[in-house]
Amino acid sequence: LEHLQDVVDAVESVGNLRPDLRLSAQLLAAEAAGNVAGYKKFRTSADAAVLQELLGVLGSDSPAIQSKLVSLLAKLSVNNEAMREQYRQQAAKHASVASLLRALDDAQAVAGPLDALCLVVQQADNKDTLAHDSAAPKRLLSVADSAGPTAWFGVVAICDLLSRYPSANSEEEQLKRQLADFANGQQKSLQKFERHPLDDDSHINARCSELIGAGLVGTLVAICKHAQFKSASNTLREAVVQVLANLTVCAKNRGRLVQLGAIKVLLPLSNEGSDKSRRLAAHAIARIVISVNPNVGYREGVGTHPATLPVWLRP
């Protein structure tokens, strides 16, 4: 990183070169740093000093550089829980939801902006900003169609962040992470679990409604019916099923999900893929069916309705 900084500074010091040459040097530096960030050992050991070096190398008002920087921060956050909040804060400073959505205009280079959005929308206020913008959800979903399978996971992962409800054991999970950091000397005190006001059920319900209105279910159905989805990884399958399961939590959405064809893709997904994706699909089907026809949950309906079979066949 120090060497990259020297290169960028040296390029800038040559006064008779093109003014855009520093930008080109920074873009190459971002690519080099991105390659290094592909190594787990680097990600897990990166600390505040590394972050400051990165900010020095990639400090720029250019939207292209800012998008590269935030994409890099997203990579680094994957295996570094201790630094993740700092990465999120810096990501929010250097790129907005709007600027990252504009960066998606290049269908050949959407991976970086999608990674960056995944990091930025982990903050609750950015979730609401994206979901309630009149055009942003449709713009995001259009990428799954225009960029094709290479963009599927990024789009679905962002939709999962927007629609995911905190699990019942969120407080316990946070305490375990804090205890691990405390034992490793990375944290000096334990923080009380607090749910962000914009991540309460009413706000998540509203975001889910906006996503459904923007065409999320149609996008997920199209992905599932695509020929390449048959050979998709379990990670992508689980992400797709997770989003559909998120949308079934609010009872108001379940009738719309049936109308939009969610059941038709959930049924095969409940019998394919990993145990996690099959179980998620089965739970989503159960929620929908019980709301659409309450008799399914009782007596003869339980054994005879085919949509409930995946639920009852699992231990």
Side-chain angles (χ1 to χ4, degrees), residues 97-302:
V97 169
S99 67
L100 292 173
L101 286 170
R102 287 194 297 271
L104 294 174
D105 290 341
D106 182 1
Q108 302 302 315
V110 297
L114 286 175
D115 286 345
L117 270 173
C118 278
L119 181 62
V120 169
V121 299
Q122 288 179 31
Q123 293 187 315
D125 52 348
N126 286 329
K127 293 178 187 178
D128 262 29
T129 298
L130 196 160
H132 295 295
D133 183 284
S134 58
K138 289 183 179 180
R139 176 71 193 92
L140 174 64
L141 295 175
S142 70
V143 174
D145 180 50
S146 61
T150 56
W152 285 351
F153 183 76
V155 172
V156 174
I158 292 167
C159 292
D160 180 25
L161 288 169
L162 297 176
S163 60
R164 179 81 70 102
Y165 293 78
S167 62
N169 59 342
S170 294
E171 185 172 1
E172 181 182 347
E173 291 171 356
Q174 187 188 65
L175 180 60
K176 286 181 179 179
R177 288 196 298 269
Q178 289 190 65
L179 287 171
D181 290 341
F182 188 79
N184 294 328
Q186 297 174 339
Q187 190 166 322
K188 295 182 179 180
S189 61
L190 299 179
Q191 305 293 323
K192 182 180 179 181
F193 175 76
E194 292 184 0
R195 191 172 172 182
H196 195 285
L198 294 178
D199 269 338
D200 63 17
D201 286 358
S202 63
H203 283 88
I204 300 174
N205 289 345
R207 291 200 293 265
C208 288
S209 181
E210 293 287 348
L211 290 171
I212 293 172
L216 173 57
V217 179
T219 296
L220 296 176
V221 169
I223 289 174
C224 292
K225 291 183 176 180
H226 196 283
Q228 292 193 34
F229 188 74
K230 293 180 180 179
S231 58
S233 66
N234 282 334
T235 304
L236 176 59
R237 287 175 175 273
E238 289 171 6
V240 169
V241 178
Q242 181 67 67
V243 174
L244 288 169
N246 296 344
L247 299 179
T248 64
V249 172
C250 180
K252 291 191 305 182
N253 296 332
R254 296 170 187 168
R256 296 171 70 187
L257 292 173
V258 173
Q259 294 173 345
L260 294 169
I263 283 285
K264 293 180 180 179
V265 297
L266 280 169
L267 282 170
L269 287 171
S270 68
N271 293 298
E272 301 170 355
S274 66
D275 288 344
K276 179 180 178 180
S277 65
R278 294 200 305 268
R279 195 175 296 274
L280 278 170
H283 289 170
I285 292 168
R287 288 195 193 110
I288 292 173
V289 171
I290 289 172
S291 289
V292 173
N293 180 8
N295 292 325
V296 169
Y298 304 94
R299 294 189 178 181
E300 67 274 10
V302 171

Side-chain angles (χ1 to χ4, degrees), residues 19-83:
D20 64 338
L21 197 56
R22 175 181 171 83
L23 176 62
S24 299
Q26 285 183 305
L27 287 171
L28 289 171
E31 292 294 335
N35 292 337
V36 176
Y39 290 91
K40 182 178 180 180
K41 190 173 182 179
F42 176 77
R43 294 196 300 269
T44 54
S45 61
D47 56 13
V50 171
L51 176 58
Q52 290 307 310
E53 291 281 358
L54 282 174
L55 296 176
V57 175
L58 301 179
S60 172
D61 293 331
S62 164
I65 295 297
Q66 290 179 339
S67 176
K68 289 280 188 182
L69 172 60
V70 178
S71 174
L72 181 56
L73 295 176
K75 278 186 178 181
L76 290 174
S77 69
V78 173
N79 298 107
N80 198 329
E81 184 71 30
M83 287 292 296

Side-chain angles (χ1 to χ4, degrees), residues 300-315:
E300 67 274 10
V302 171
T304 58
H305 201 293
T308 61
L309 290 178
V311 181
W312 309 111
L313 288 177
R314 281 162 176 67

